[in-house]
Amino acid sequence: MTRTVPSAPPRSTRGSRTAWLVWGVGAACYFAAMFHRASLGVAAPAALERFSAGPAVLAVFSALQMGVYLALQVPAGVLADRLGPRKVISGGMLALALGSAVFGISGSVLGGVAGRMLIGFGDAFMFTNVLRLAAHWFPPARYGQVAAITGLIGGLGQVLSTVPLAAALHGFGWVPTFVGAAGLTLALAAVAAGVIRERTDERPATAPPRERIGASLRAVVAQRGTRHAFWVHFVLMAQFVALTTLWGQPWLTEAQGRSRTEAGSLLLLAVVAFIVGSLVAGQFAAGRPLRRDRYALAMSATVVVAWAVLAGWPGALPTPLLVAALAVIGIAGGAAMLAFDGARLANAEHRSGTASGVVNMGGFTAAVLIQLLVGGVLQATSSLPGPVAYRWAFLPVVLLLLLGTVAQGLSRVRAAPDRG
């Protein structure tokens, strides 16, 4: 299947200050979405008291939020192509603001679930639509770098949900913190509605081809570049999300013997490594097909080795080895942004949102599988000591990542030699 590279708008409209402004506002919305997405992990101890519930209820909060996010990935991409990012991003920000307010005000489990599901709903429409802005406002050769910077900004949003959010909860309390976050999100929604534009003034006012949703999806999935990108995201993003949003904290405390403070610092290290990995991937590999594919495959193989060490090491890992493994997991997570570079170049511009949604499903489908597999094995091995139970629980993670890496290698796109 040949790749379809759409014609670019006039160079004067690409990479201009207006382009950076429009994309920058969208990226700020993604930053806010990442803050809301990761806030539950930081607020978990306070949430247990707030909702008078146990850890199982918090797991339901997280699972429903991620489930809503995952279910809406393809619709989010389709809406990006049909309605345009301005309407979809603004609407998503409104859902995030409402979800944060409901989560902050409610004291019941039902209200907490509703709030987190609204946050998952709003979050689902951010990333693919920001990438749609990048596809529209920047030339294909720069798209990968802008996508990587987008991932970096999302990582910064996740960092903001750690120490600053914990400090706000301690200093201001539950309701002011989450309602205040809702107010700031609402203000950003208004900025997005006023600043984000779907097309440039110099671009010919020709509407993109109108396709049936099924036809558009079939065209996207038919591209080898899309399938390859799906598996890249499947491996690199899933393992980072699963560790930093759910299993990292209990694994570090129960299996590695770390205090909660140490565990938080180690997870923050993984997030910082994610930011570094996004920057390195954007500068080193984005826009260079052969280098991009080789780098993604090398990072995937390295991740398999890292998780094999976590699953196979007897007892607690030495601190240098633990730090190195978490750094690899984070850097590889940042490299997942390269998947969208490959999907963008494999599909026509008017299908770029749909392509991003399909690829994004790869990482988050695998993340949900990892969470379920680890939880199931931990339940089955509950009578074993923590270090032993987690070693068994991480074994299916290694197998799943190995499967994705093999699939990635088999679907690798043979591109023309790059210039880098």
Side-chain angles (χ1 to χ4, degrees), residues 4 81 211 215-216 219-220 223 347-356:
T4 304
D81 295 334
E211 297 176 307
S216 180
V220 165
Q223 298 293 333
N347 291 276
E349 183 180 333
H350 69 276
R351 299 187 190 122
S352 62
T354 303
S356 295

Side-chain angles (χ1 to χ4, degrees), residues 80-373:
D81 295 334
R82 295 298 181 97
L83 299 181
R86 182 177 66 85
K87 295 177 182 177
V88 180
I89 289 177
S90 300
M93 291 296 286
L94 290 175
L96 284 169
L98 181 59
S100 182
V102 170
F103 189 65
I105 293 172
S106 177
S108 69
V109 171
L110 183 60
V113 167
R116 297 317 297 185
M117 290 183 69
L118 280 168
I119 287 173
F121 181 90
D123 183 18
F125 294 98
M126 291 299 114
F127 187 63
T128 53
N129 279 274
V130 177
L131 292 185
R132 183 70 177 85
L133 286 174
H136 182 78
W137 284 90
F138 294 91
R142 297 195 65 181
Y143 175 83
Q145 292 179 332
V146 178
I149 297 173
T150 304
L152 184 153
I153 289 173
L156 291 175
Q158 194 165 352
V159 169
L160 186 66
S161 71
T162 56
V163 177
L165 177 58
L169 286 168
H170 178 75
F172 301 111
W174 181 277
V175 174
T177 295
F178 282 102
V179 173
L184 292 174
T185 304
L186 187 62
L188 188 53
V191 173
V195 174
I196 292 177
R197 293 161 50 191
E198 273 103 41
R199 62 178 64 251
T200 61
D201 292 337
E202 290 117 327
R203 189 170 186 177
T206 56
R210 299 290 291 182
E211 297 176 307
R212 292 182 181 273
I213 293 175
S216 180
L217 278 172
R218 285 193 296 272
V220 165
V221 174
Q223 298 293 333
R224 289 190 65 201
T226 304
R227 299 194 296 274
H228 177 262
F230 177 94
W231 290 113
V232 170
H233 205 252
F234 183 97
V235 175
L236 298 181
M237 181 55 71
Q239 49 93 40
F240 174 78
V241 170
L243 186 77
T244 56
T245 62
L246 187 58
W247 294 119
Q249 184 89 7
W251 169 66
L252 287 167
T253 55
E254 297 172 18
Q256 298 299 309
R258 305 288 172 166
S259 68
R260 290 179 62 179
T261 301
E262 288 177 313
S265 299
L266 288 167
L267 290 178
L268 180 60
L269 166 68
V271 175
V272 172
F274 176 93
I275 296 171
V276 174
S278 297
L279 183 61
V280 170
Q283 295 298 318
F284 174 74
R288 299 166 175 173
L290 283 181
R291 180 181 293 188
R292 179 195 65 225
D293 293 349
R294 290 168 181 166
Y295 182 73
L297 188 59
M299 290 305 306
S300 297
T302 304
V303 157
V304 172
V305 172
W307 278 87
V309 170
L310 300 188
W313 193 271
L317 280 80
T319 298
L321 185 58
L322 177 60
V323 168
L326 291 174
V328 167
I329 288 170
I331 290 171
M337 297 301 107
L338 293 175
F340 299 100
D341 183 34
R344 167 69 181 90
L345 293 179
N347 291 276
E349 183 180 333
H350 69 276
R351 299 187 190 122
S352 62
T354 303
S356 295
V358 170
V359 170
N360 211 28
M361 282 191 67
F364 288 93
T365 299
V368 170
L369 288 174
I370 288 174
Q371 290 187 351
L372 293 175
L373 288 169

Side-chain angles (χ1 to χ4, degrees), residues 254 377-393:
E254 297 172 18
V377 175
L378 287 176
Q379 183 70 29
T381 58
S382 58
S383 61
L384 298 176
V388 178
Y390 272 96
R391 285 175 59 194
W392 281 106

Side-chain angles (χ1 to χ4, degrees), residues 6-44:
S7 59
R11 288 185 177 271
S12 61
T13 68
R14 297 291 186 122
S16 65
R17 292 180 181 178
T18 302
W20 285 108
L21 174 63
V22 171
W23 168 84
V25 171
C29 293
Y30 178 55
F31 177 97
M34 285 296 293
F35 169 85
H36 288 292
R37 180 194 300 178
S39 62
L40 179 61
V42 178

